[in-house]
Structure formats: structure tokens, C-alpha cells
Amino acid sequence: MRTAFFAGQLRNPSSHRFLRGLPLTEHPWLPFSTSASQTPQDHAAKPGSAGGPAPKSKFYSPAASPNGGDDVILSNMMITSYVRSGDLDAALGVFRNMSVRTTVTWNSILAGYSKLRGRLRDAQEVFVKIPQPDTVSYNTMLACYVNTSDMEAALGFFNRIPRKDAASWNTMITGLARNQRMEEAGKLFSAMPSRNVVTWNAMISGYVECGELDRAVKLFETAPVKSVVAWTAVITGHMKFGRIETAEKLFWEMPEKNMVTWNTMISGYVENSRAEAGVKLFKKMMAGGVSPNPSTLSSVLLGCSELSALQLGKQVHQLVCKSPLHIDTTAGTSLISMYCKCGALEDAKKLFVEMPRRDLVTWNAMISGYAQHGAGELALSLFDRMRKAGISPDGITFVAVLLACNHAGLLDLGTGYFNLMRKDYGVEPKPDHYSCMVDLLSRAGKLDEAVDLIKKSPFKPHPAIYGTLLGACRIHKNTKIAEFAAKNLLDLDPTSAAAYVQLANVYAAMNKWNDVARVRQLMNRSNLVKTPGYSWIDVKNKVHEFRSGDRIHPDLGSIHEKLNELEEKMKLAGYVPDLECALHDVGEAEKKQLLLRHSEKLAIAYGLMKLPPGVPIRVFKNLRICADCHRAAKCISEIEKREIIVRDTTRFHHFKDGSCSCRDYW
């Protein structure tokens, strides 16, 4: 229950916001349009097409043309070309040189303003100067209002449009849906004289975004034409609500799939803890000849990270290298994150150094990667490099920086960064930052200061904060604060088995077995079940899972023999079991046997048996590694001359030559 591991260093490209990609109108030269309706140039050929001239340089002036600036069609084509490419200044340059302007000319300039935030006043000034505004003029101006999210002003303008067409209605309905004003959108939908596919898409996607899945499904079922956008939106809704089987059924039933649909399914699997299914679907997509985009790769690489499937992640990397995505910043950042989460820090570092372009998310991913692996000094050094490169940190950066200080035990430095993030960078501390600080103080034994910070926080404490405090109380053997933390954790989340388990562990570490029994009885009365601890290891692209005292794995006999052999070698090397980690009221011999069968040790032994000499053993655990397994892993790394990498819920531990990268501070 410590501060969340891997502190959100990546945007989540898999969370598809379908309304963000929905057309505001059906006019193709307006923002987000996908319609094939006529352009403002009427029958004029598009620039660069076989029937028309290619767009000239932005320095070209129509006044220099043979027709001296009166070639209205050519000028309109150039303005539209510039607007489509996002170069409004160049479009305005052509516009100002025109001696004759048509309504199409004015509409094209207005469309340029509609694409830009904060230019509503400029758009209004253009609109009022149009000599004879047509419906396209009104629709484009409406899009400008909608893009500011001022729905009252947009509705007022919509009501003043003298002749509304389908695009007028769709623009207003889509704007309301984007702003989650579905009741008003529904009223317009009902009043609309004639609906088209854009209308249905906007309403269905709007209901999905607002969490009203049943209404979205009902509308989807009655839609006369179901576009790929509508299908994808409904699939997204089912994934959002964890209705995976229904989403799968719809996915395989839909007549046409696009890239967004495949991404929705893959990301949906990953977000619903079905990463293996997501990776399998990715393989099917590739086998079907569908090329992934950066969003696909982000999702599948996140799946690889959750499965700790490093080899598959490397295969995806090879795929990226052979595609145009090899220079894509988002794809590169996703690969860095995958390597960090799979324990291959050097691969991540190499990729980061080789990337031709880095954005803030890339820097955050690498800083966070260093922090996760306990390389606090490297993380902070990279943070300084980022600032010197002129990249301003955001809240995610500071989560990574505080984690780096946390794992390196840099209390004063972490406190300093926490204080300057608002003062120097204008970044307001959020709950994640307070969680990091509570963890930092707690690990350092400053439990009273940690409690004070929780009480001073402007946010309602998250259960994870008290979980962090409880874990530290076990290390520092503080029952008073442990009871305070457990009580508050259960007040926030009465179903938290972790509160009982961690409080019992605090008592067990102090040999207060009567209190342990009392807490366990309370837990049983609440019908709560402890989350079982397990570890896993990837051998030849197959994940092998182990639980403490495992009795299922087919190679269990050989694993026990290997562990018995290791136990004898470890004793000769000076290893003494940490009996405090055997949280059962049994005899010493039985405690030693229980410790020897911990899931981490079973996975390490299996790795030693199956992986070639010299290959690092990478073990992953769903809970925090226990102190005895930590001690044993250090010893085994020296005896076997093998690097052992263990990822638990808080960080990576790199065991090599008898020591750990955490320097025994975790």
C-alpha cells in the first residue's frame, strides 16, 4: 500500500476520448471534419491535385501573379491550403493582398481562427465584417464558440442562426456532448429535423463519456446506420465498466474495424488486468496486416510491462525499428518505460540517449525509471539536465524526483524539492506528492512528522497514505502510530484486508502474538481475505508463477532440492534467516522452513535452474519483498555469481556480488 509504483510517467494514450476526434461539422475544411461534402472552393481543384496548382511558398503573394491578386479562386485555394496546414499567418498574408474577396474567402479565414484556442475575439471581428454570411459562415463561427467551451454563448449564437443545416445541429450537439451536457444535447437531438451518422456518433459517444452506458447502448441499437465510430464508442464503454465479454462479442461482430477500434480493445484488456489477452490480440492484429500506431505500441508495451515480458517487449522494439515509428517520440518513450518496468535499465538509458527528439514525457519516463531502480543520484542529475535544456517540469516530474529522493534516503533534498515545486515552478502539490513525502518521512523514521504532514494536507487522505505509514511502523516497531494508521485506513476503506494484515505484521514483528490473534479474528469477522503473495519469472517467453509454500509447479521437487543446496551454501557464507519475517507463532525450525519456501526464493531457484549462466534472473512480486528474501538474494548473488533483479510493489532491487542497489534502505 505504499506510494504507487511507477508514478504515472506516461500519458495514457489508450484512454480514447472519442468525442475529441468527432467532427464539429460536416464541412471538410472545418476542424475535425471527416465528411466528403463540398469545399469552400466549390468546384475548384484541390491544391496539389491533378486538376490544380500546388500550394506555393508562404512568401508568395497573389499580387505577383499574372492576374495581379484578382485571381480569387487561386487565392482562396492558397488560403485553404495554409489553413489546413495550420499556417494562419500565411493565409492572412494572402487574404490582405486580395482586392476581391468572396464569402468563401472570409469563411476560410474564419475556419483558421476556429482551429486556434484564445482567438475568439479575432474570429468575431472577422465574422461581423463578412458582407453576406452564409450558413457555412454561421457554422464556422459556432465552432469557434464551441471550441472555447462556453456553451451558453454557443447556444445563444446557435439560436440566432437564420438557416440551420445538419452541420449546425451537429456542431452544437457535439459541443454539448463534449462538455458532458447530455440532457441539453438530448433535447436538441430530439428536435433536430433530420439526423445523420455524425449526430448518432456524437450522442452515443457522449453518453459513453458521461458513464451512461445503458443509454449509449439503447441509442446504438436504434441507430439506422452504425458507423465504426459508434461501434468503437460502445466497445469503449463496455471496457470502461469491465464488461469484457460483451466488448469482445461486439468487437468480433462489427463489420469494419479501424485503428482506434483495435487500440480500444488492446488498451481495454490491459486496463482490466488482462494484459496477456491484450498482447495476444496485438499479435492477431499484426498477423492480419494491420500496422500499429504509437497508441497501439503504448498499450501493448504497457501490457509487456505488467506481464514483465521483456523478450516480447524487445520484439515490439524490433518492429518499431523496421517501421516509420522509429523516429516517433511517443513510441520511443513507451519503449523506455517498458524497459524500465521490465528491469532493463541499461537498455532504457541507451534508447534515451539515442532518441533524436525528447519531450517532457520522455524525460519524465527516464527520471522515473532511475527512481524506480534506486538510482537516485542519476535521477536527480537527469532532472538538472532537463531544466538546463529549458524543459519545465510538471507534477509528474516532481513525483519521480520525490520517489528518487525517497529510495535514496535523501530526506532533506526531497523536502527541499517539495517546497520549491510551487514556489519556483508553479506546480501545486497534489495527493501523489503528499504520499511521496509521507513515504519519505516514514522510511526515515520521522513518523510523527509524517502524521503531521497528513493532517496539514489540503486533500482528503488517500488510503495509500495510511498504508505507507503502516508499512513504516512495522520497520520502526511503532504500535501507537500503526494503530492510528490502521484505524484511519479502515475508516476510509472498511474492506481493506491490508489494514488488518499490516497491523498484525507490526504486532508479529514485536512478538505480540495475542494482538496478532485479535487482529486476525477481527479480519475473519469482517469476511476479508488477505491478498496472497506470489512471485513470477519469465523463462523462454513463458511466465512461471510461485506462491509461498507452493505445491503446484511441476518442477517443485527439483526446486526444493536446489533451495536445500543453496541453504547449505548460504550458511557457510554467513547467512542467518531473519525469523521476524516468519509471521506465524510456531517453532524456530518451522519458521526457517517457511522462510525457505517463500515465493521469491522459489522463483530465484527456478531461474538458476533454467536460465543460462550469465543471464540476469528477473523476478517480480506482487507485494513488498520481505527482509529475509532480501538478505538471501544478496547472499545467492555472491555464491552463484549471478545478477538477480527483483521488482516488488515499490521499486527494483539489483542484487550483485553480495550487495543490493538499495543499500539496504527500502
Side-chain angles (χ1 to χ4, degrees), residues 282-295:
F282 171 74
K283 290 178 178 178
K284 281 186 182 178
M285 183 190 87
M286 294 293 296
V290 181
S291 298
N293 65 11
S295 181

Side-chain angles (χ1 to χ4, degrees), residues 578-608:
D578 185 348
L579 299 183
E580 282 189 6
C581 296
L583 303 173
H584 298 275
D585 189 13
V586 295
E588 184 174 310
E590 193 171 350
K591 283 185 177 183
K592 289 180 180 179
Q593 194 63 23
L594 288 169
L595 290 174
L596 190 63
R597 301 292 187 261
H598 271 194
S599 65
E600 301 97 306
K601 296 187 183 76
L602 293 170
I604 290 171
Y606 189 73
L608 288 169

